[in-house]
PDB file of all heavy atoms in Angstrom:
ATOM      1  N   GLY E 228      16.887  -4.360   5.125  1.00 95.00           N
ATOM      2  CA  GLY E 228      17.694  -5.516   4.721  1.00 95.00           C
ATOM      3  C   GLY E 228      16.832  -6.626   4.175  1.00 95.00           C
ATOM      4  O   GLY E 228      15.602  -6.531   4.148  1.00 95.00           O
ATOM      5  N   SER E 229      17.457  -7.688   3.745  1.00 96.00           N
ATOM      6  CA  SER E 229      16.728  -8.866   3.279  1.00 96.00           C
ATOM      7  C   SER E 229      16.035  -9.507   4.485  1.00 96.00           C
ATOM      8  O   SER E 229      16.450  -9.294   5.627  1.00 96.00           O
ATOM      9  CB  SER E 229      17.694  -9.868   2.653  1.00 96.00           C
ATOM     10  OG  SER E 229      18.517 -10.442   3.663  1.00 96.00           O
ATOM     11  N   PRO E 230      14.970 -10.298   4.250  1.00 95.00           N
ATOM     12  CA  PRO E 230      14.315 -10.973   5.375  1.00 95.00           C
ATOM     13  C   PRO E 230      15.300 -11.803   6.187  1.00 95.00           C
ATOM     14  O   PRO E 230      15.216 -11.829   7.430  1.00 95.00           O
ATOM     15  CB  PRO E 230      13.261 -11.866   4.695  1.00 95.00           C
ATOM     16  CG  PRO E 230      12.979 -11.186   3.407  1.00 95.00           C
ATOM     17  CD  PRO E 230      14.252 -10.554   2.969  1.00 95.00           C
ATOM     18  N   ASP E 231      16.217 -12.473   5.516  1.00 94.00           N
ATOM     19  CA  ASP E 231      17.206 -13.288   6.224  1.00 94.00           C
ATOM     20  C   ASP E 231      17.992 -12.464   7.239  1.00 94.00           C
ATOM     21  O   ASP E 231      18.161 -12.858   8.395  1.00 94.00           O
ATOM     22  CB  ASP E 231      18.200 -13.901   5.225  1.00 94.00           C
ATOM     23  CG  ASP E 231      17.880 -15.367   4.970  1.00 94.00           C
ATOM     24  OD1 ASP E 231      16.798 -15.809   5.443  1.00 94.00           O
ATOM     25  OD2 ASP E 231      18.677 -16.054   4.333  1.00 94.00           O
ATOM     26  N   VAL E 232      18.450 -11.304   6.792  1.00 95.00           N
ATOM     27  CA  VAL E 232      19.263 -10.440   7.668  1.00 95.00           C
ATOM     28  C   VAL E 232      18.393  -9.874   8.799  1.00 95.00           C
ATOM     29  O   VAL E 232      18.766  -9.934   9.981  1.00 95.00           O
ATOM     30  CB  VAL E 232      19.918  -9.296   6.861  1.00 95.00           C
ATOM     31  CG1 VAL E 232      20.515  -8.257   7.796  1.00 95.00           C
ATOM     32  CG2 VAL E 232      20.985  -9.853   5.926  1.00 95.00           C
ATOM     33  N   ILE E 233      17.234  -9.323   8.446  1.00 95.00           N
ATOM     34  CA  ILE E 233      16.398  -8.652   9.450  1.00 95.00           C
ATOM     35  C   ILE E 233      15.906  -9.638  10.510  1.00 95.00           C
ATOM     36  O   ILE E 233      15.903  -9.337  11.707  1.00 95.00           O
ATOM     37  CB  ILE E 233      15.204  -7.936   8.784  1.00 95.00           C
ATOM     38  CG1 ILE E 233      15.690  -6.810   7.873  1.00 95.00           C
ATOM     39  CG2 ILE E 233      14.232  -7.404   9.848  1.00 95.00           C
ATOM     40  CD1 ILE E 233      16.419  -5.674   8.555  1.00 95.00           C
ATOM     41  N   PHE E 234      15.487 -10.817  10.087  1.00 94.00           N
ATOM     42  CA  PHE E 234      14.902 -11.757  11.050  1.00 94.00           C
ATOM     43  C   PHE E 234      15.931 -12.603  11.795  1.00 94.00           C
ATOM     44  O   PHE E 234      15.687 -13.050  12.899  1.00 94.00           O
ATOM     45  CB  PHE E 234      13.861 -12.660  10.363  1.00 94.00           C
ATOM     46  CG  PHE E 234      12.591 -11.933  10.022  1.00 94.00           C
ATOM     47  CD1 PHE E 234      12.337 -11.532   8.728  1.00 94.00           C
ATOM     48  CD2 PHE E 234      11.666 -11.629  11.006  1.00 94.00           C
ATOM     49  CE1 PHE E 234      11.169 -10.827   8.405  1.00 94.00           C
ATOM     50  CE2 PHE E 234      10.499 -10.939  10.704  1.00 94.00           C
ATOM     51  CZ  PHE E 234      10.251 -10.528   9.405  1.00 94.00           C
ATOM     52  N   LYS E 235      17.091 -12.818  11.158  1.00 93.00           N
ATOM     53  CA  LYS E 235      18.091 -13.682  11.808  1.00 93.00           C
ATOM     54  C   LYS E 235      19.234 -12.910  12.460  1.00 93.00           C
ATOM     55  O   LYS E 235      19.814 -13.355  13.437  1.00 93.00           O
ATOM     56  CB  LYS E 235      18.668 -14.657  10.783  1.00 93.00           C
ATOM     57  CG  LYS E 235      17.657 -15.693  10.306  1.00 93.00           C
ATOM     58  CD  LYS E 235      18.270 -16.603   9.264  1.00 93.00           C
ATOM     59  CE  LYS E 235      17.232 -17.601   8.721  1.00 93.00           C
ATOM     60  NZ  LYS E 235      17.745 -18.343   7.556  1.00 93.00           N
ATOM     61  N   ASN E 236      19.558 -11.754  11.882  1.00 92.00           N
ATOM     62  CA  ASN E 236      20.728 -11.047  12.398  1.00 92.00           C
ATOM     63  C   ASN E 236      20.573  -9.525  12.277  1.00 92.00           C
ATOM     64  O   ASN E 236      21.369  -8.858  11.621  1.00 92.00           O
ATOM     65  CB  ASN E 236      21.982 -11.513  11.628  1.00 92.00           C
ATOM     66  CG  ASN E 236      23.257 -11.057  12.298  1.00 92.00           C
ATOM     67  OD1 ASN E 236      23.284 -10.800  13.503  1.00 92.00           O
ATOM     68  ND2 ASN E 236      24.314 -10.900  11.517  1.00 92.00           N
ATOM     69  N   PRO E 237      19.523  -8.955  12.896  1.00 93.00           N
ATOM     70  CA  PRO E 237      19.327  -7.506  12.762  1.00 93.00           C
ATOM     71  C   PRO E 237      20.461  -6.728  13.414  1.00 93.00           C
ATOM     72  O   PRO E 237      21.033  -7.168  14.410  1.00 93.00           O
ATOM     73  CB  PRO E 237      18.003  -7.261  13.489  1.00 93.00           C
ATOM     74  CG  PRO E 237      17.847  -8.415  14.423  1.00 93.00           C
ATOM     75  CD  PRO E 237      18.526  -9.574  13.778  1.00 93.00           C
ATOM     76  N   ALA E 238      20.763  -5.573  12.833  1.00 91.00           N
ATOM     77  CA  ALA E 238      21.882  -4.770  13.328  1.00 91.00           C
ATOM     78  C   ALA E 238      21.472  -3.892  14.515  1.00 91.00           C
ATOM     79  O   ALA E 238      22.286  -3.584  15.380  1.00 91.00           O
ATOM     80  CB  ALA E 238      22.433  -3.893  12.193  1.00 91.00           C
ATOM     81  N   GLN E 239      20.184  -3.493  14.528  1.00 93.00           N
ATOM     82  CA  GLN E 239      19.746  -2.501  15.530  1.00 93.00           C
ATOM     83  C   GLN E 239      19.090  -3.180  16.733  1.00 93.00           C
ATOM     84  O   GLN E 239      18.269  -4.092  16.577  1.00 93.00           O
ATOM     85  CB  GLN E 239      18.741  -1.526  14.896  1.00 93.00           C
ATOM     86  CG  GLN E 239      19.316  -0.703  13.746  1.00 93.00           C
ATOM     87  CD  GLN E 239      20.393   0.246  14.221  1.00 93.00           C
ATOM     88  OE1 GLN E 239      20.315   0.802  15.315  1.00 93.00           O
ATOM     89  NE2 GLN E 239      21.402   0.438  13.378  1.00 93.00           N
ATOM     90  N   GLU E 240      19.419  -2.694  17.904  1.00 93.00           N
ATOM     91  CA  GLU E 240      18.824  -3.229  19.134  1.00 93.00           C
ATOM     92  C   GLU E 240      17.310  -3.062  19.122  1.00 93.00           C
ATOM     93  O   GLU E 240      16.566  -3.936  19.575  1.00 93.00           O
ATOM     94  CB  GLU E 240      19.447  -2.524  20.355  1.00 93.00           C
ATOM     95  CG  GLU E 240      19.065  -3.154  21.687  1.00 93.00           C
ATOM     96  CD  GLU E 240      19.479  -4.616  21.803  1.00 93.00           C
ATOM     97  OE1 GLU E 240      20.537  -5.014  21.242  1.00 93.00           O
ATOM     98  OE2 GLU E 240      18.721  -5.375  22.433  1.00 93.00           O
TER      99      GLU E 240
END
Side-chain angles (χ1 to χ4, degrees):
S229 70
D231 258 9
V232 169
I233 296 297
F234 287 102
K235 292 178 183 171
N236 192 25
Q239 297 294 324
E240 189 59 34

